[in-house]
Amino acid sequence: MEIKNVAVLGSGTMGHGIAQASAMAGYNVKLYDIAQAMLDKATGTIKGNIEKHFVAKGKIKPEEGAAIVGRIAATTNLKSAVEDADLVIEAIPENMEMKKIVFAEIDGFCPAHTILASNTSVLPVTAIAGATNRKEKCIGLHFFNPAVVMKLVEVIKPIGVADETVDAALAFCKKLGKTPVTVKDVPGFIVNRLLGLLYHEAAQIVLEGTATAEEVDLAMKLGAGHPMGPCELADFGGFDIITNAGDAVYNYTHNARDAVNILYRKMVEAGRLGRKNGKGFYDYNSDGTKTVAKLFD
Ligand SMILES: NC(=O)c1ccc[n+]([C@@H]2O[C@H](COP(=O)([O-])OP(=O)(O)OC[C@H]3O[C@@H](n4cnc5c(N)ncnc54)[C@H](O)[C@@H]3O)[C@@H](O)[C@H]2O)c1
């Protein structure tokens, strides 16, 4: 099955990046959001990114940049966004009920051949697919932030997915220049399952005073070859996201090893969300430097 038209639902952090990556690979993209302001922001960001990172650096010609932007149509009308889509990629907030409602709705609007994908970070794709009458055409496509840059896509196989759906999803990822890795529909898939453990232990080391965040990061960068330390990575991911994702995994597994470290809850309670508001394991200063934050000292 050839994919030509892609609909991306949700134009936030992930949706706008997935839309840009899809348009850059030549797909016609409809970008849908309930909020016109988010669509305006997303299209402005996409235009700016293409100009700054591709046209200005001579990687593509200005007319190619314009053609990429021209392939993305923004809309607040769900039916018109998905009615001619071959592939829908949902990137709305990480909330099971919201995702089920949207999947049930688009199941009624899309042609029979359309593949419905969720970009969920940790929620069970099998349960999301259960809201539709096309379980064989539902799949997880887990992109990473920033979606245009990050090479990995976890292709999550819910129970009941057809082989041809998986094959079409893999081909789509490769056309985007990504490297897909298939994984069964288990909580956290591969990356977030492992990162959850790393985040937990990194916070525990800081909490018990064994080492500072900076020492943890240095140790893992220089000793384990990680490009970013776990505290830096947690700051980048955001403590609200880490807490919600960890809770979603724990609620599913009830396995003590999946419990979110209390330090993340305390930091969220204290309004420390990570890089996004300049306060995480580190304080991010206006001059671009960062200093280790005083937490429980
Ligand atoms: N941010 C990340 O690093 C990251 C990485 C991988 C996967 N994800 C997953 O991607 C999904 C989206 O995350 P995000 O960080 O882009 O969120 P976000 O909050 O940045 O964007 C969500 C967008 O969805 C819109 N929205 C809300 N309800 C909607 C609806 N019913 N229909 C259409 N649009 C709606 C919002 O207006 C917003 O623009 C989540 O499932 C998240 O777990 C996020």
Side-chain angles (χ1 to χ4, degrees), residues 10-15 32-35 38 91-94 98-99 102 119-121 142-143 145:
S11 64
T13 306
M14 296 309 294
Y32 163 79
D33 204 292
I34 47 170
M38 290 303 290
I92 71 169
E94 189 76 333
M98 282 175 76
K99 289 191 194 281
V102 166
N119 184 50
T120 179
S121 303
H142 185 209
F143 289 78
N145 184 26

Side-chain angles (χ1 to χ4, degrees), residues 5-116:
N5 300 326
V6 176
V8 179
L9 312 183
S11 64
T13 306
M14 296 309 294
H16 89 266
I18 296 168
Q20 182 184 328
S22 303
M24 289 181 75
Y27 294 104
N28 303 314
V29 180
K30 294 224 181 116
L31 180 57
Y32 163 79
D33 204 292
I34 47 170
Q36 183 63 46
M38 290 303 290
L39 286 174
D40 294 344
K41 188 175 166 209
T43 44
T45 303
I46 292 169
K47 272 186 203 162
N49 284 345
I50 286 173
E51 175 56 36
K52 183 174 166 195
H53 300 300
F54 295 93
V55 176
K57 290 184 178 165
K59 292 181 183 168
I60 58 173
K61 296 191 180 111
E63 54 271 29
E64 288 176 82
I68 292 167
V69 172
R71 280 198 283 277
I72 303 174
T75 178
T76 54
N77 183 316
L78 182 58
K79 184 169 186 288
S80 81
V82 302
E83 66 189 353
D84 61 354
D86 304 308
L87 168 66
V88 179
I89 305 173
E90 165 275 310
I92 71 169
E94 189 76 333
N95 177 294
M96 177 56 91
E97 286 318 306
M98 282 175 76
K99 289 191 194 281
K100 279 186 177 173
I101 289 168
V102 166
F103 267 67
E105 213 170 351
I106 59 177
D107 189 29
F109 292 150
C110 289
H113 74 272
T114 309
I115 293 173
L116 309 184

Side-chain angles (χ1 to χ4, degrees), residues 10-281:
S11 64
T13 306
M14 296 309 294
H16 89 266
I18 296 168
Q20 182 184 328
S22 303
M24 289 181 75
Y27 294 104
N28 303 314
V29 180
K30 294 224 181 116
L31 180 57
Y32 163 79
D33 204 292
I34 47 170
Q36 183 63 46
M38 290 303 290
L39 286 174
D40 294 344
K41 188 175 166 209
T43 44
T45 303
I46 292 169
K47 272 186 203 162
N49 284 345
I50 286 173
E51 175 56 36
K52 183 174 166 195
H53 300 300
F54 295 93
V55 176
K57 290 184 178 165
K59 292 181 183 168
I60 58 173
K61 296 191 180 111
E63 54 271 29
E64 288 176 82
I68 292 167
V69 172
R71 280 198 283 277
I72 303 174
T75 178
T76 54
N77 183 316
L78 182 58
K79 184 169 186 288
S80 81
V82 302
E83 66 189 353
D84 61 354
D86 304 308
L87 168 66
V88 179
I89 305 173
E90 165 275 310
I92 71 169
E94 189 76 333
N95 177 294
M96 177 56 91
E97 286 318 306
M98 282 175 76
K99 289 191 194 281
K100 279 186 177 173
I101 289 168
V102 166
F103 267 67
E105 213 170 351
I106 59 177
D107 189 29
F109 292 150
C110 289
H113 74 272
T114 309
I115 293 173
L116 309 184
S118 175
N119 184 50
T120 179
S121 303
V122 290
L123 297 175
V125 181
T126 307
I128 300 171
T132 75
N133 291 313
R134 59 174 88 200
K135 295 173 189 59
E136 73 289 352
K137 295 209 166 291
C138 293
I139 197 160
L141 284 180
H142 185 209
F143 289 78
F144 291 78
N145 184 26
V148 174
V149 177
M150 297 294 278
K151 287 287 174 208
L152 177 68
V153 181
E154 287 181 322
V155 175
I156 294 113
K157 299 195 289 181
I159 291 175
V161 67
D163 289 345
E164 51 268 34
T165 302
V166 178
D167 291 344
L170 292 172
F172 171 76
C173 294
K174 287 178 189 160
K175 197 164 165 199
L176 260 56
K178 306 296 184 195
T179 302
V181 172
T182 54
V183 53
K184 288 179 187 160
D185 186 22
V186 297
F189 316 127
I190 298 171
V191 174
N192 284 333
R193 179 170 166 179
L194 287 171
L195 276 183
L197 302 177
L198 187 65
Y199 289 151
H200 176 86
E201 283 304 318
Q204 191 59 28
I205 289 170
V206 172
L207 190 59
E208 67 199 20
T210 299
T212 65
E214 195 170 33
E215 288 162 340
V216 170
D217 285 340
L218 267 177
M220 291 305 284
K221 284 191 282 193
L222 302 183
H226 289 200
M228 284 174 92
C231 300
E232 291 171 322
L233 195 59
D235 277 4
F236 183 73
F239 300 153
D240 49 342
I241 305 250
I242 287 173
T243 306
N244 290 340
D247 284 346
V249 171
Y250 181 78
N251 288 341
Y252 209 80
T253 64
H254 291 284
N255 191 329
R257 85 173 175 209
D258 295 323
V260 173
N261 192 288
I262 194 167
L263 185 56
Y264 294 113
R265 290 196 204 287
K266 287 289 142 205
M267 290 204 275
V268 171
E269 285 169 5
R272 303 191 73 87
L273 300 182
R275 284 294 292 253
K276 69 179 89 175
N277 72 351
K279 296 177 198 312
F281 282 107

